C-alpha cells in the first residue's frame, strides 16, 4: 500500500508542481480537536499554487489504484480510531489564502477557500463590515467542514448564507471541478448537506452577507466567543456537542442526558463533562475507543429511559 501511495503522490507533484507536506505513519492525535487517533498511513497537506490540480490528480490516481482517500479539515468533529486511517489522509488546511468580497446587488458576496478556519472567516467578514458570520466566531473547524456538516449555532446555520460552492466530484469515472448555485437552501437540512451524499472534495464557496456596523458585529462575536468559553468548550480536548440537538424530543439533548444524572460519567479517559451534559471531553488520557464506548453507552441509557434515539454529531472515522 505505501509504495502505491508514494507513487501516486510523486506523480501528482510532478504533474502540478504543488508543494506538499507528506508524512507517513502520522499520529492523527496531532490533527483532531479530541487529541486522539492512531497513525494515518499517509497524511499530506498541499499548499499554494497548483493546489486544485494536485488534488484532482491525487483523487484520480488513488481511485485508479484503489487507494482510499480521507479528507480532513480542522479535525473538529471527528474521532479517529486508535488503529488509525488506511490509505491517504488529505488535509485541506493549506487551502486558505485571502478572502475576496464583491458587491452583489444589495448584498456583499464573500468567497472563502475550503481550508479557511471558520473563526478567521468570521474575522474577515468583520474586517469587510459584513454581518451574518457572527455565529461562527469561536467555532473550531474550516469552511469546508462547516459546509459539509451545515454548521449551526445561535439560531443560524451556514446554509443560510451560501450562494455557490465549487467542488471536485466524479463525472464519467474521473474527478472534475463543478460549481453548484444554492437557492433557498436546497439540499440542506439540520446538520445535513448535499455533499454528505457525494464522493466529493469541497474547494471554495461564496456567501451573501449584509453590510453592517463593525462595532455591533464585533459585540455579537465577542459575546459568542465568551459564551463558548463560559460553557467550557475550550477547557479540554473535545468536539463540542456530542449528539445532535434539534430538539426533536421536546428539550435540549444536554438536558435529557443531565436528567439521567450522567454528568461526570466516564469510560477510561473520556468523560461527559460535569459542566455540560452534551459535551464529551478527553480528560487527558482518553483513547478513541473510550470516547466511542462512552457515546454508545450514553445513547443506550437514553433509549432505555425515554425511548429517544440520540444521533451522534461526532463522526467516527478510520479503521475500527
Amino acid at each position: 500500500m505505501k509504495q502505491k501511495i508514494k507513487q501516486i503522490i510523486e506523480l501528482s507533484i510532478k504533474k502540478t508542481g504543488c508543494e506538499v507536506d507528506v508524512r507517513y505513519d502520522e499520529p492523527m492525535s496531532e490533527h483532531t480537536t479530541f487529541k486522539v487517533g492512531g497513525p494515518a498511513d499517509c497524511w499530506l497537506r498541499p499548499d499554494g499554487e497548483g493546489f486544485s490540480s494536485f488534488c484532482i490528480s491525487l483523487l484520480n490516481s488513488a481511485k485508479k489504484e484503489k487507494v482510499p482517500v480521507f479528507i480532513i479539515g480542522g479535525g473538529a468533529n471527528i474521532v479517529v480510531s486508535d488503529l488509525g486511517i488506511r490509505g491517504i489522509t488529505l488535509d485541506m488546511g493549506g487551502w486558505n489564502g485571502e478572502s475576496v468580497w464583491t458587491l452583489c446587488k444589495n448584498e456583499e458576496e464573500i468567497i472563502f477557500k475550503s481550508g479557511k478556519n471558520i473563526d478567521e472567516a468570521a474575522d474577515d467578514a468583520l474586517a469587510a463590515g459584513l454581518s451574518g458570520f457572527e455565529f461562527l466566531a469561536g467555532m473550531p473547524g474550516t469552511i469546508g467542514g462547516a459546509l459539509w456538516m451545515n454548521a449551526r449555532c445561535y439560531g443560524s446555520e451556514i446554509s443560510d448564507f451560501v450562494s455557490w460552492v465549487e467542488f471536485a466530484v466524479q463525472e464519467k469515472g474521473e474527478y472534475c471541478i463543478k460549481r453548484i448555485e444554492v437557492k433557498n437552501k436546497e439540499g440542506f437540512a439540520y446538520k445535513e448537506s448535499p455533499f454528505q451524499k457525494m464522493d466529493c472534495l469541497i474547494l471554495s464557496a461564496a456567501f451573501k452577507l449584509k453590510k453592517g456596523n463593525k462595532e455591533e458585529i464585533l459585540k455579537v462575536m465577542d459575546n459568542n466567543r465568551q459564551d463558548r468559553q463560559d460553557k467550557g468548550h475550550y477547557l479540554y480536548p473535545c468536539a463540542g456537542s456530542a449528539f445532535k440537538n434539534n430538539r426533536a424530543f421536546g428539550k435540549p439533548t444536554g438536558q435529557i442526558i443531565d436528567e439521567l444524572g450522567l454528568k461526570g460519567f466516564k469510560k477510561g479517559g473520556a468523560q461527559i463533562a460535569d459542566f455540560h451534559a452534551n459535551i464529551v471531553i478527553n480528560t487527558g488520557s482518553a483513547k478513541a475507543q473510550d470516547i466511542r464506548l462512552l457515546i454508545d453507552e450514553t445513547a443506550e441509557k437514553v433509549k432505555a429511559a425515554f425511548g429517544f434515539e440520540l444521533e451522534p454529531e461526532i463522526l467516527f472515522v478510520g479503521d475500527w
Side-chain angles (χ1 to χ4, degrees), residues 61-312:
S61 296
K63 179 177 179 289
K64 182 179 178 182
E65 296 296 333
K66 298 182 179 179
V67 172
V69 178
F70 175 71
I71 298 159
I72 187 172
N77 215 37
I78 63 174
V79 174
V80 178
S81 162
D82 297 314
L83 298 176
I85 304 177
R86 307 288 70 83
I88 296 169
T89 298
L90 172 58
D91 188 312
M92 297 296 287
W95 190 233
N96 43 54
E98 295 299 319
S99 307
V100 178
W101 56 87
T102 56
L103 182 64
C104 179
K105 295 183 180 178
N106 296 323
E107 298 172 313
E108 295 278 335
E109 190 173 76
I110 189 165
I111 302 169
F112 293 110
K113 294 177 179 177
S114 63
K116 182 76 172 182
N117 177 280
I118 51 180
D119 185 46
E120 293 177 4
D123 282 335
D124 284 2
L126 167 65
L130 300 178
S131 176
F133 266 18
E134 292 91 327
F135 77 104
L136 295 174
M139 187 183 289
T142 60
I143 285 289
L147 277 167
W148 194 91
M149 181 59 76
N150 191 17
R152 175 184 176 86
C153 201
Y154 304 122
S156 295
E157 56 190 20
I158 203 163
S159 58
D160 292 336
F161 307 99
V162 65
S163 175
W164 54 257
V165 182
E166 191 171 79
F167 58 101
V169 67
Q170 285 192 67
E171 196 168 86
K172 297 181 181 178
E174 291 281 320
Y175 283 90
C176 61
I177 296 177
K178 296 191 73 175
R179 179 184 291 191
I180 58 169
E181 304 290 330
V182 179
K183 297 180 181 179
N184 301 317
K185 300 174 61 169
E186 185 177 0
F188 288 88
Y190 176 80
K191 297 296 174 73
E192 292 181 3
S193 77
F195 309 106
Q196 294 174 12
K197 300 172 184 176
M198 302 181 194
D199 177 9
C200 69
L201 170 65
I202 298 172
L203 293 169
S204 61
F207 303 89
K208 287 184 180 178
L209 305 179
K210 293 188 180 295
K211 274 291 186 182
N213 180 283
K214 286 189 178 182
E215 289 184 3
E216 292 176 1
I217 295 169
L218 179 59
K219 183 178 180 180
V220 176
M221 290 171 61
D222 285 345
N223 286 341
N224 290 344
R225 285 173 173 143
Q226 187 62 50
D227 182 61
R228 294 180 196 278
Q229 184 169 323
D230 292 345
K231 288 177 178 175
H233 284 217
Y234 311 131
L235 290 174
Y236 298 90
C238 70
S241 296
F243 296 95
K244 292 185 178 181
N245 191 34
N246 62 351
R247 305 201 180 201
F249 307 122
K251 61 185 78 172
T253 301
Q255 183 179 336
I256 294 169
I257 297 169
D258 192 15
E259 286 175 3
L260 289 178
L262 292 178
K263 279 183 178 177
F265 180 45
K266 295 182 72 173
K267 285 287 179 182
Q271 179 182 3
I272 294 178
D274 55 13
F275 51 81
H276 196 302
N278 196 23
I279 294 179
V280 169
I281 61 172
N282 176 358
T283 61
S285 60
K287 300 293 185 183
Q289 188 66 18
D290 296 337
I291 297 168
R292 185 159 199 172
L293 286 172
L294 181 60
I295 288 175
D296 287 348
E297 192 162 330
T298 300
E300 288 169 6
K301 287 178 181 292
V302 169
K303 176 73 182 294
F306 302 115
F308 302 150
E309 298 218 18
L310 298 184
E311 185 179 354

Side-chain angles (χ1 to χ4, degrees), residues 42-53:
C42 176
W43 172 95
L44 58 86
R45 177 183 285 172
D47 189 6
E49 192 173 343
F51 185 100
S52 297
S53 298

